[in-house]
């Protein structure tokens, strides 16, 4: 069983209910492998370590990293070639000089000085220089973020922005796609005005497929849950791709089934049938 987190398994407050926590534990006891597959970086996952099952592993950064939450060890990682990372940053600088950029690695992050400071616990020095000055310094980049500061998103996920913001966002995304060419692919996880750029060939589906191959699990035996367009490759790959009721229209259209809203334990309600069938 593979599930996205924000907007899918987690409630709007970023937590899981006690009942969902119990259902996940019951699945683990029954021998059903539970894997979180999320765009979140490792630093946003530590408080969920007790929900992911005995193995403690999470596919994060949109498929670029497999993390063992119990030990903090990075088990698998994929990143941009240095030339591709520089081409992406340079292309966006030339086409969208107003954009604010950040670069994510499994072991940390760096921000442009004008990137909004949404993580007060982080070292202010991470906003000290343009991100291109950090490339090649501490290992490959797993994800590049491009933010349109004219539409700084509110905290959390906004699935249905007003039409004016939606049009501006699509125009921004179109310009980003042109600027990056074949050096990256754009993934959209729901944050307004934020383009999440992944290395070519790196997405949730590819990472989940590799992990399942290690376990000897066929795609036909995987249930996958999601809510946003960056979940579509995973939902299409899995034998059963399931959307939550609050999902993006594109996800609802392609899903094999639709379950309840993420604030109403929709995923857990569906998973309870797996628990019942395993006994």
């Amino acid at each position: 069983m593979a599930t996205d987190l924000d907007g899918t398994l987690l409630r709007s407050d970023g937590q899981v209910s006690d009942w969902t926590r119990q259902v996940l534990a019951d699945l683990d006891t029954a021998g059903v492998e539970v894997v979180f597959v999320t765009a979140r970086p490792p630093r946003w996952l530590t408080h969920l370590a007790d929900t992911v099952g005995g193995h403690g592993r999470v596919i994060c950064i949109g498929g670029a990293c497999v993390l063992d939450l119990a030990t903090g060890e990075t088990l698998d990682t994929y990143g941009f070639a240095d030339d591709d990372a520089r081409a992406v940053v340079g292309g966006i600088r030339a086409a969208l000089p107003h954009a604010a950029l950040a670069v994510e690695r499994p072991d940390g992050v760096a921000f442009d000085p004008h990137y909004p400071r949404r993580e007060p616990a982080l070292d202010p020095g991470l906003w000290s220089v343009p991100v291109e000055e950090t490339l090649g310094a501490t290992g490959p980049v797993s994800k590049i973020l491009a933010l349109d500061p004219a539409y700084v998103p509110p905290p959390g996920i906004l699935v249905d922005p007003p039409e004016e913001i939606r049009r501006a966002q699509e125009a921004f995304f179109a310009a980003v796609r042109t600027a990056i060419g074949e050096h990256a692919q754009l993934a959209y996880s729901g944050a307004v005005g934020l383009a999440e750029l992944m290395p070519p060939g790196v997405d949730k589906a590819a990472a989940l497929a590799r992990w399942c191959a290690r376990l000897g699990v066929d795609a036909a035996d995987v249930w996958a849950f999601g809510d946003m367009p960056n979940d579509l490759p995973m939902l299409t790959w899995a034998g059963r791709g399931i959307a939550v009721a609050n999902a993006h229209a594109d996800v609802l259209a392609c899903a094999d089934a639709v379950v309840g809203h993420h604030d109403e334990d929709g995923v857990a309600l569906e998973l309870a049938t797996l628990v019942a069938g395993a006994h």
Side-chain angles (χ1 to χ4, degrees):
M1 192 284 289
T3 181
D4 172 55
L5 293 178
D6 295 286
T8 302
L9 185 72
L10 304 185
R11 303 175 306 198
S12 295
D13 63 2
Q15 305 297 319
V16 293
S17 71
D18 290 340
W19 186 65
T20 290
R21 194 181 299 272
Q22 184 59 56
V23 170
L24 294 174
D26 291 344
L27 283 172
D28 190 52
T29 300
V32 177
E33 180 95 0
V34 177
V35 180
F36 295 161
V37 189
T38 176
R40 287 186 174 214
R43 65 184 180 280
W44 292 3
L45 293 167
T46 53
H47 71 291
L48 297 170
D50 64 341
T51 64
V52 73
H55 58 81
R57 296 183 178 98
V58 175
I59 296 169
C60 58
I61 320 184
C65 175
V66 179
L67 180 72
D68 186 327
L69 280 182
T71 65
E73 181 184 2
T74 298
L75 304 177
D76 200 3
T77 184
Y78 290 81
F80 283 95
D82 285 345
D83 287 348
D84 283 333
R86 294 186 184 282
V88 169
V89 172
I92 293 174
R93 292 288 191 222
L96 297 160
H98 66 289
L101 301 182
V103 293
E104 287 276 10
R105 298 178 175 88
D107 60 352
V109 62
F111 303 93
D112 275 343
H114 62 296
Y115 199 99
R117 300 196 179 193
R118 297 251 173 198
E119 300 183 62
L122 294 181
D123 180 355
L126 296 173
W127 283 264
S128 61
V129 298
V131 296
E132 49 265 49
E133 296 186 24
T134 72
L135 297 178
T138 59
V141 170
S142 299
K143 180 193 288 189
I144 298 171
L145 306 176
L147 179 68
D148 183 352
Y151 295 95
V152 175
I157 302 298
L158 183 60
V159 173
D160 190 22
E163 185 61 30
E164 177 186 354
I165 294 179
R166 193 195 315 276
R167 289 195 300 269
Q169 175 172 270
E170 288 306 317
F172 179 67
F173 284 177
V176 167
R177 288 189 181 97
T178 299
I180 64 178
E182 297 181 354
H183 298 287
Q185 55 189 1
L186 191 152
Y188 177 52
S189 65
V192 176
L194 182 66
E196 301 175 53
L197 307 173
M198 302 299 300
V202 175
D203 60 24
K204 291 184 175 185
L208 181 59
R210 285 192 300 271
W211 189 251
C212 287
R214 290 183 180 184
L215 300 174
V217 175
D218 293 332
D221 296 322
V222 177
W223 284 19
F225 296 82
D227 72 311
M228 293 305 292
N230 68 331
D231 295 317
L232 283 171
M234 175 176 72
L235 300 187
T236 302
W237 176 84
R240 184 170 169 80
I242 305 168
V244 285
N246 52 284
H248 189 282
D250 291 348
V251 178
L252 292 171
C254 90
D256 297 317
V258 178
V259 298
H261 195 283
H262 75 121
D263 280 330
E264 298 171 356
D265 290 322
V267 171
L269 283 166
E270 184 73 4
L271 291 178
T273 66
L274 270 183
V275 174
H279 292 290

